[in-house]
Amino acid sequence: SSTIALNSGVQIIASGSTMTLTLPLASTAVGKMIKVKARVGAGQVTLQRQGADTIDGFNEVVLESENAAISLIASGSEYFII
């Protein structure tokens, strides 16, 4: 488990194990885009919220398949999948 740093922008996960990534608080990331890609051989990658933030209304989003990817943008109180 680790927290995504705001200056990282893109996270490429190549680990073969299951991993949980915690998003920064949406209030600290307004207008920032975060992209995550699970490469070939990556295990399940879970993106989870911090505090009361949501990800398009959900508490977490799971990338379950190889080469799955997601792009998120913070509004200040939540993240939107784009």
Side-chain angles (χ1 to χ4, degrees), residues 2-3 6 18-19 31-33 41 46 54-55 59 65 68 71 76-77:
S2 64
T3 300
L6 283 178
T18 297
M19 177 179 282
K32 300 270 185 183
M33 184 175 293
T46 301
T54 59
I55 306 166
N59 296 337
S65 60
S71 296
S77 61

Side-chain angles (χ1 to χ4, degrees), residues 26-27 52-57 73-80:
S27 62
D53 294 350
T54 59
I55 306 166
D56 263 351
I73 193 161
S75 72
S77 61
E78 64 185 310
Y79 282 89
F80 294 110

Side-chain angles (χ1 to χ4, degrees), residues 1-79:
S1 176
S2 64
T3 300
I4 296 174
L6 283 178
N7 61 354
S8 62
V10 177
Q11 296 282 317
I12 298 175
I13 310 302
S15 169
S17 60
T18 297
M19 177 179 282
T20 299
L21 297 174
T22 302
L23 295 168
L25 285 169
S27 62
T28 66
V30 177
K32 300 270 185 183
M33 184 175 293
I34 295 174
K35 298 178 181 185
V36 177
K37 179 167 179 72
R39 295 277 300 163
V40 173
Q44 180 174 295
V45 178
T46 301
L47 297 171
Q48 68 181 16
R49 68 180 185 171
Q50 266 197 60
D53 294 350
T54 59
I55 306 166
D56 263 351
F58 297 97
N59 296 337
E60 65 182 26
V61 173
V62 180
L63 303 179
E64 297 177 331
S65 60
E66 291 183 357
N67 293 313
I70 190 168
S71 296
L72 306 167
I73 193 161
S75 72
S77 61
E78 64 185 310
Y79 282 89

